Amino acid sequence: MFGCDAPPGESPSTFQSVPILGKLSVGKTLPSYAGSSESGQQAGNTPKDRKYLIHLLHTDLPPLCVNEECGAFGSIANIKGADLYGGSDLKLADQVFGIFPTDNKRFQQQAQNYGVLIISDQQAKIRAIYQHVYLPDMETILQDSEAIFAQAD
């Protein structure tokens, strides 16, 4: 399923937009869930303050993070008009989204250095799914997201 290696600190830019991944499909509703980050910020399947929601599942993130807790990409997502909920929580990735297996060792092997990004709207309708996303790819995807947001308006 996953299997590219890149030199440390470099992104091979292999991310790709896909119509279906695990339980997720573009045009369908994002599965419901609720969670709290370590600082107590709430996350779920709809944005808090903005029109769009970006989920970033990545092994280099905390178990669950909201906006700036996810690093600089949270601020960039906010500027683009989206909330960012991220994390490396295996329950979210497997049980809610059906993307990765719950076996932690297998997850770490398959998703090392990259992950999945999902864009949805206020009604939790999935607008885009990207796989094989390295963290440096986030900026490129967020630039592309403006077209996705414009199509949804």
Side-chain angles (χ1 to χ4, degrees):
M1 181 160 93
F2 294 90
C4 354
D5 293 321
E10 288 186 33
S11 167
S13 296
T14 59
F15 71 88
Q16 47 187 252
S17 177
V18 295
I20 298 171
L21 186 64
K23 297 178 185 177
L24 308 177
S25 290
V26 172
K28 301 286 182 179
T29 302
L30 194 65
S32 292
Y33 78 95
S36 297
S37 69
E38 286 183 11
S39 71
Q41 292 193 53
Q42 297 299 305
N45 69 330
T46 56
K48 285 195 246 182
D49 303 321
R50 294 174 178 79
K51 275 180 112 169
Y52 300 97
L53 175 61
I54 296 173
H55 276 91
L56 177 61
L57 303 173
H58 197 284
T59 56
D60 288 345
L61 293 175
L64 183 62
C65 56
V66 175
N67 292 321
E68 289 81 10
E69 294 174 336
C70 302
F73 301 113
S75 297
I76 295 168
N78 291 170
I79 290 168
K80 299 290 183 185
D83 278 323
L84 175 66
Y85 299 160
S88 59
D89 188 318
L90 295 179
K91 287 189 286 185
L92 180 62
D94 179 49
Q95 295 171 10
V96 177
F97 295 149
I99 296 171
F100 296 117
T102 54
D103 174 0
N104 187 42
K105 185 175 181 179
R106 188 166 165 210
F107 171 75
Q108 292 294 336
Q109 290 170 346
Q110 290 182 342
Q112 189 171 12
N113 299 323
Y114 58 89
V116 172
L117 184 139
I118 304 131
I119 299 174
S120 60
D121 62 21
Q122 288 176 321
Q123 289 74 43
K125 184 176 178 182
I126 299 170
R127 299 294 181 173
I129 303 168
Y130 294 89
Q131 66 179 1
H132 302 248
V133 175
Y134 285 78
L135 288 180
D137 295 330
M138 277 288 296
E139 209 161 344
T140 302
I141 292 171
L142 289 174
Q143 293 295 333
D144 292 345
S145 69
E146 291 175 7
I148 293 166
F149 298 162
Q151 290 173 359
D153 288 337

